[in-house]
């Protein structure tokens, strides 16, 4: 039969259950403002009845209930919604970071403005134009020098600004990687505790909330996916590689030395290979530093080097009023001291490379002439060599245009004397140096005999930078028009950082030439042809990569960075709207509603009071039985 005191136990269970329910509601209210917290609910169920089905049961009417018990305390969470939020947080972190840094880049290009680099360059061209009108004026030469120095300062300032943002991004990369490593360790530690608590049959709700918050924060830094095929093993992946597996976490390493060109690379510790990320804050930082800023610096360097080369090419052919000849206007900083560009690239003590930036053919060409030859040019490209065919019906200008539009990292144009000029451009692959002609080959006779660049045709006579004797493959002796092949050594990296006006010109403005010498080697009085030639560079097709003129460079640069900024701003607005909606959905499920929790507390309080009244009443009944029966 049922125990006399069983009802006391029923009342006690009710007190315990309602007390735990009120405690949980209070826990919810206390954490209403806690980041990542999910509201919890006490799941109650009937306690097992006193009689279970069996042949030995007592002869009594039905099963006798034994009150209530707490089945579990569970958190209210939508796992599918959590997966969507983790996936979208990755994009939010990416565009938020990109928007911040692209805005910094936009602020560097203060175009149009009176103090902008473009305005300074326009003033520089104007000073040469003025000198061409007044070639005997010392004041006009002083204006050329002054505006040249102002332009140089403007170029240095832009480079320094880009380099400053690059260093800022690099520092952010280091800090973000450390943050990623900390989060992965915390997730692994939470996994270990969660498994232990689950093994005891409990729900580690607060730890689960903590882990979900850590995963969401990690997702904002790098692109991740989460899987839990084994209930006891929570796994986090990035790009198919495990970075958290249960209680174990992998930490990324950082590498910054001469091999990485002074920037910090993120390395997998096991194999030393570089790690790449497709999204999140870290993915955006690496893309901005290694793609966007690198491209901007390369464009600036390319513009500067071509600008210096073209001004020097004209100025050295003139004679100055003080008698100076063969004088460059700007300084040159060759990468190697060897005049043939021979260099020990792998550092083993033996010369193994030839680093040339510019090669000039020894024949004079007319852009409108038919070539009358057929063959294929093989030029170095971003991903291997590029083939550029030419036909007998092509004009010289047609082939030059085809070279410049081929995607090769070599550009071509005719100088003022009609000579074919080939130049190395910036390299798309960071493993290749900028401004180096890596390969020139002609199956026919355009580069060989027609333009006078190479000594012979075919692969055996190709110019290749991995040949320390590559200069020997260039055409020898004077061409048809009495010119010799000329070449210049590749410059020290980042010309925009070191460009300067030569000291001879700074010390004496009469070193600035304004005219070309005549047959007798003297410049006629009032000759401003050289100054006019320099001024005309402003609108010449200088072929700086895909940009045809200096004006194209400024227009394209400002347009590109503006479009990138607009893209980042709009993408961030879209992503913010998506994340706001998803988080509102999550808050409607998991967020704490103070009014609802207070209502539950009142309900559980009434239940607790009723259970207490039940125990008190039953206690009075027992008192009658024990103390008063038979009196």
């Amino acid at each position: 039969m049922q125990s006399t005191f069983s009802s006391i136990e029923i009342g006690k269970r009710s007190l315990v259950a309602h007390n735990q329910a009120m405690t949980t509601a209070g826990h919810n209210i206390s954490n209403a403002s806690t980041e990542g917290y999910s509201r919890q609910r006490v799941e109650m169920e009937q306690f097992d009845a006193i009689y279970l089905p069996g042949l030995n049961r007592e002869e009594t009417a039905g099963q006798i209930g034994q009150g209530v018990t707490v089945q579990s305390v569970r958190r209210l969470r939508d796992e599918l919604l959590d997966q969507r939020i983790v996936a979208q947080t990755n994009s939010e972190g990416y565009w938020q970071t990109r928007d911040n840094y692209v805005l910094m880049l936009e602020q560097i290009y203060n175009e149009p403005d009176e103090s902008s680099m473009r305005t300074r360059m326009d003033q520089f061209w104007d000073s040469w134009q003025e000198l061409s009108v007044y070639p005997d004026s010392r004041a006009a030469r002083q204006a050329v020098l002054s505006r040249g120095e102002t332009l140089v300062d403007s170029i240095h300032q832009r480079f320094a600004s880009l380099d400053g943002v690059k260093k800022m991004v690099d520092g952010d990369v280091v800090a973000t990687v450390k943050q990623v490593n900390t989060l992965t360790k915390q997730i692994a530690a939470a996994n270990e505790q969660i498994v232990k608590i689950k093994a005891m049959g409990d729900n580690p709700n607060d730890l689960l909330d903590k882990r979900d918050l850590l995963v969401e924060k990690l997702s904002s830094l790098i692109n991740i996916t989460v899987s839990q095929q084994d209930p006891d093993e929570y796994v986090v992946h990035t790009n198919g590689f495990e970075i958290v597996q249960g209680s174990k976490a992998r930490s990324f390493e950082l590498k910054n030395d001469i091999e990485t060109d002074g920037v910090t690379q993120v390395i997998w510790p096991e194999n030393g290979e570089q790690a790449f990320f497709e999204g999140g804050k870290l993915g955006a930082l690496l893309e901005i530093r290694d793609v966007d800023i690198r491209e901007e610096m390369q464009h600036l360097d390319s513009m500067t080097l071509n600008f210096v080369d073209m001004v020097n090419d004209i100025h050295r052919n003139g004679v100055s009023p003080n008698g100076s000849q063969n004088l460059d206007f700007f300084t040159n900083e060759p990468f190697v001291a060897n005049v043939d560009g021979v260099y020990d690239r792998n550092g083993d003590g033996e010369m193994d490379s030839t680093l040339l930036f510019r090669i000039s053919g020894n024949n004079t060409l007319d852009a409108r002439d038919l070539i009358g030859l057929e063959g294929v040019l093989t030029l170095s490209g971003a991903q291997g060599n590029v083939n550029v065919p030419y036909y007998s019906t092509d004009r010289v200008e047609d082939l030059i245009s085809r070279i410049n539009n081929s995607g090769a990292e070599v550009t071509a144009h005719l100088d003022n004397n009609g000579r074919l000029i080939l130049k190395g451009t910036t390299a798309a692959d960071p493993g290749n140096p900028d401004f180096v002609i890596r390969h020139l080959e002609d199956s026919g006779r355009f580069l060989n005999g027609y333009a006078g660049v190479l000594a012979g045709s075919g692969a055996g006579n190709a110019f290749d930078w991995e040949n320390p004797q590559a200069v020997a493959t260039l055409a020898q002796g004077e061409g048809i028009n009495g010119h010799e092949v000329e070449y210049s050594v590749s410059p020290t990296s980042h010309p925009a950082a070191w460009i300067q006006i030569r000291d001879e010109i700074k010390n004496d403005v009469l070193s600035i030439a304004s005219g070309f010498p005549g047959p007798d080697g003297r410049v006629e009085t009032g000759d401003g042809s050289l100054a006019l030639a320099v001024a005309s560079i402003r609108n010449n097709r200088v072929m700086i990569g895909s940009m045809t003129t200096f004006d194209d460079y400024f227009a394209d640069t400002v347009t590109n960075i503006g479009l990138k900024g607009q893209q980042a701003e709009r993408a961030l607005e879209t992503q913010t709207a998506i994340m706001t909606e998803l988080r509102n959905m999550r808050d409607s499920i998991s967020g704490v509603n103070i009014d609802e929790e207070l209502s539950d507390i009142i309900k559980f309080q009434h239940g607790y009071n009723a259970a207490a009244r039940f125990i008190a009443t039953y206690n009075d009944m027992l008192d009658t039985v024990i103390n008063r029966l038979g009196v």
Side-chain angles (χ1 to χ4, degrees), residues 413-530:
H413 73 276
L414 299 181
D415 67 4
N416 291 333
N417 297 319
R419 301 169 67 186
L420 179 66
I421 308 297
L422 298 174
K423 295 181 182 180
T425 68
T426 54
D429 185 353
N432 292 327
D434 291 336
F435 309 117
V436 173
I437 298 176
R438 299 195 301 278
H439 192 83
L440 290 178
E441 181 183 338
D442 189 356
S443 66
R445 294 187 57 81
F446 177 77
L447 292 182
N448 173 16
Y450 193 86
V453 175
L454 296 177
S457 303
N461 295 302
F463 173 91
D464 193 272
W465 76 307
E466 294 184 338
N467 175 13
Q469 306 298 325
V471 169
T473 64
L474 301 180
Q476 305 299 313
E478 294 184 352
I480 299 174
N481 308 103
H483 300 294
E484 291 185 357
V485 169
E486 297 177 356
Y487 51 85
S488 60
V489 178
S490 298
T492 301
S493 60
H494 301 308
W498 51 255
I499 175 179
Q500 291 290 349
I501 297 175
R502 291 185 67 91
D503 290 337
E504 294 91 328
I505 293 176
K506 289 182 179 179
N507 296 333
D508 185 3
V509 294
L510 294 180
S511 297
I512 300 175
S514 60
F516 294 107
D520 59 353
R522 301 178 61 183
V523 178
E524 295 183 5
T525 302
D527 182 10
S529 57
L530 184 145

Side-chain angles (χ1 to χ4, degrees), residues 5 150 394:
F5 299 94
T150 303
D394 284 336

Side-chain angles (χ1 to χ4, degrees), residues 3-15 614-620 622:
S3 169
T4 303
F5 299 94
S6 62
S7 295
I8 296 291
E9 186 66 23
I10 291 174
K12 186 196 77 172
R13 291 193 186 105
S14 179
L15 290 175
F614 169 76
I615 292 175
T617 302
Y618 206 82
N619 181 64
D620 291 341
L622 291 176

Side-chain angles (χ1 to χ4, degrees), residues 173-189 218 222 236 238 241-255 265-275 277 282:
V173 168
V174 174
T176 303
V177 170
K178 292 180 179 179
Q179 193 175 358
V180 168
N181 291 340
T182 299
L183 288 173
T184 55
K185 292 177 182 178
Q186 291 177 342
I187 293 172
L218 181 62
I222 59 176
V236 181
T238 179
F241 296 96
E242 294 178 352
I243 55 175
V244 176
Q245 183 180 14
S247 60
K248 297 179 180 179
R250 298 172 68 185
S251 297
F252 294 103
E253 295 180 354
L254 298 171
K255 181 180 180 182
Q265 289 185 354
V266 186
I267 303 297
W268 289 105
E270 294 83 3
N271 52 22
E273 294 183 359
Q274 187 174 357
F277 305 93
L282 186 55

Side-chain angles (χ1 to χ4, degrees), residues 566-619:
Q566 186 181 60
Q567 178 196 31
E569 182 181 4
R570 291 182 177 178
L572 179 59
E573 289 176 355
T574 301
Q575 198 60 40
T576 300
I578 293 173
M579 290 304 301
T580 299
E581 182 178 354
L582 291 175
R583 286 175 176 139
N584 287 340
M585 292 175 60
R586 181 176 63 184
D587 289 343
S588 68
I589 298 172
S590 304
V592 177
N593 186 306
I594 301 296
D595 293 336
E596 182 180 352
E597 299 302 325
L598 291 175
S599 174
D600 285 344
I601 287 177
I602 294 173
K603 179 179 70 174
F604 297 138
Q605 180 186 15
H606 286 313
Y608 188 91
N609 291 339
R613 180 64 60 87
F614 169 76
I615 292 175
T617 302
Y618 206 82
N619 181 64

Side-chain angles (χ1 to χ4, degrees), residues 246-495:
S247 60
K248 297 179 180 179
R250 298 172 68 185
S251 297
F252 294 103
E253 295 180 354
L254 298 171
K255 181 180 180 182
N256 188 333
D257 53 31
I258 192 171
E259 295 181 4
T260 65
D261 195 26
V263 298
T264 304
Q265 289 185 354
V266 186
I267 303 297
W268 289 105
E270 294 83 3
N271 52 22
E273 294 183 359
Q274 187 174 357
F276 297 95
F277 305 93
E278 297 176 356
K281 179 180 180 180
L282 186 55
L285 290 172
L286 294 175
E287 182 181 13
I288 289 169
R289 187 194 67 187
D290 299 338
V291 178
D292 296 284
I293 297 179
R294 181 171 181 266
E295 286 181 354
E296 296 302 319
M297 296 178 77
Q298 283 185 327
H299 290 162
L300 180 61
D301 286 335
S302 183
M303 184 282 298
T304 302
L305 188 58
N306 281 274
F307 166 73
V308 168
D309 184 65
M310 298 192 74
V311 172
N312 285 346
D313 188 43
I314 295 175
H315 193 268
R316 75 169 66 98
N317 291 320
V319 177
S320 306
N322 63 6
S324 300
Q325 299 182 35
N326 198 31
L327 180 65
D328 289 338
F329 189 86
F330 293 103
T331 57
N332 284 313
E333 296 288 343
F335 185 77
V336 293
N338 188 291
V339 294
D340 290 337
V342 180
Y343 180 63
D344 176 18
R345 190 156 50 96
N346 58 15
D348 62 357
E350 295 184 5
M351 300 299 181
D352 53 23
S353 303
T354 300
L355 307 182
L356 297 186
F357 158 64
R358 181 180 189 267
I359 301 175
S360 305
N362 60 16
N363 292 332
T364 300
L365 310 181
D366 189 322
R368 296 166 296 180
D369 285 348
L370 292 174
I371 295 175
L373 301 170
E374 292 188 359
V376 178
L377 303 180
T378 303
L379 310 173
S380 50
Q383 299 177 345
N385 292 332
V386 175
N387 292 327
V388 181
Y390 58 91
Y391 310 97
S392 59
T393 55
D394 284 336
R395 298 181 185 275
V396 173
E397 61 186 1
D398 295 332
L399 179 54
I400 290 177
S401 177
R402 197 173 297 145
I403 291 173
N404 293 327
N405 294 319
S406 66
E409 293 183 340
V410 176
T411 61
H413 73 276
L414 299 181
D415 67 4
N416 291 333
N417 297 319
R419 301 169 67 186
L420 179 66
I421 308 297
L422 298 174
K423 295 181 182 180
T425 68
T426 54
D429 185 353
N432 292 327
D434 291 336
F435 309 117
V436 173
I437 298 176
R438 299 195 301 278
H439 192 83
L440 290 178
E441 181 183 338
D442 189 356
S443 66
R445 294 187 57 81
F446 177 77
L447 292 182
N448 173 16
Y450 193 86
V453 175
L454 296 177
S457 303
N461 295 302
F463 173 91
D464 193 272
W465 76 307
E466 294 184 338
N467 175 13
Q469 306 298 325
V471 169
T473 64
L474 301 180
Q476 305 299 313
E478 294 184 352
I480 299 174
N481 308 103
H483 300 294
E484 291 185 357
V485 169
E486 297 177 356
Y487 51 85
S488 60
V489 178
S490 298
T492 301
S493 60
H494 301 308

